Structures are given as structure tokens and as C-alpha cells.
Amino acid sequence: MIPKRLLCPERLRQVPPQFSWIDQRLVRDGHLERCHPPALALYLLLVTVADAQGLSYYSDRKVARLLSLAPAELGAARFGLQQAGLIAYEPPLYQVLSLAPSVCSPLPDAAPRSGQALPLSAILRQILDSGGSPPP
């Protein structure tokens, strides 16, 4: 395991007063994989400008200008986020939604982790020995 250390301690992130953290489950649970880059850019903007309840009311004109999107591209990006369950939209109000439960199913019969690091050769050997399935 790589030991973690602050690279720039004087710039340690704090929860800002305007509340705009981005949830790691976007990546871990596969939410980002369901969205195209313009939709992800829109999501980043909305998360950044939203209040603590996830609400913002930037106009389409302003959002399109900030993201360098044509009106049709903005509409498609917004629709993609709505389909992915990441935002709600009723003009002119956007709401960034809480993330739905994980879209990934847990591994069946996963063995508890031992906490020991294994060399890559041992992991590859286990995969080959098990017929292609990675170890739990």
C-alpha cells in the first residue's frame, strides 16, 4: 500500500461554507460512465454553484456560455443527467439529486480481505488458476 501524505499541507481542503463537495460515489458506483462529457461538464457546474440543498437557477444562456455549448448540446446534456438520475430540472430551477444506491452489484461470496499486499504475479496466478475470475 502506498503511504499517504499531504503534498501541500497549507492547501488542505476544508468543507467550504457554500457546500460544494463532489461525491466519490460518482466514480465508484459507475454514475459517470453513463454520461457524455458535456453532461459531466454541466454536472460539475451545477454541483459547484448549487446551494446546500443542491438548488441553482442559472439561465440556459449563462450555462451554455460558461460551458461553451450550443443550446441543443445543453438540452442533450441536461436530458442525459436527468436520465441518469443525477439532476431534476424545472425551468429555471436545477436540483442536484442525492446519488442513488450503487449501480454495481456486490461480488458473490466475496472473502474478507486479509489486509496483506500481494505481488502482481500472485494475483495474475490466482486469476489464471480460477479460470479468469479476479480474486475477491
Side-chain angles (χ1 to χ4, degrees), residues 51-62:
D51 66 12
Q53 295 177 311
L55 301 172
S56 62
Y57 51 90
Y58 276 47
S59 69
D60 281 357
R61 185 173 162 199
K62 175 133 184 166

Side-chain angles (χ1 to χ4, degrees), residues 25-106:
R25 292 178 300 157
L26 285 166
V27 174
R28 190 176 61 231
D29 292 353
H31 296 281
L32 292 184
E33 295 170 7
R34 299 189 320 249
C35 299
H36 295 291
L40 298 176
L42 175 57
Y43 188 78
L44 177 61
L45 175 70
L46 295 174
V47 168
T48 303
V49 301
D51 66 12
Q53 295 177 311
L55 301 172
S56 62
Y57 51 90
Y58 276 47
S59 69
D60 281 357
R61 185 173 162 199
K62 175 133 184 166
V63 171
R65 183 177 57 78
L66 288 170
L67 299 177
S68 300
L69 295 175
E73 292 173 312
L74 174 58
R78 182 172 43 237
F79 181 74
L81 292 177
Q82 289 173 298
Q83 290 298 109
L86 296 174
I87 67 165
Y89 177 70
E90 289 183 21
L93 193 61
Y94 286 92
Q95 181 184 352
V96 177
L97 302 174
S98 63
L99 296 180
S102 174
V103 295
C104 301
S105 58

Side-chain angles (χ1 to χ4, degrees), residues 10-22:
E10 64 276 9
R11 298 276 311 270
L12 177 66
R13 281 190 353 166
Q14 305 287 322
V15 175
Q18 72 274 8
F19 185 85
S20 63
W21 286 110
I22 297 176

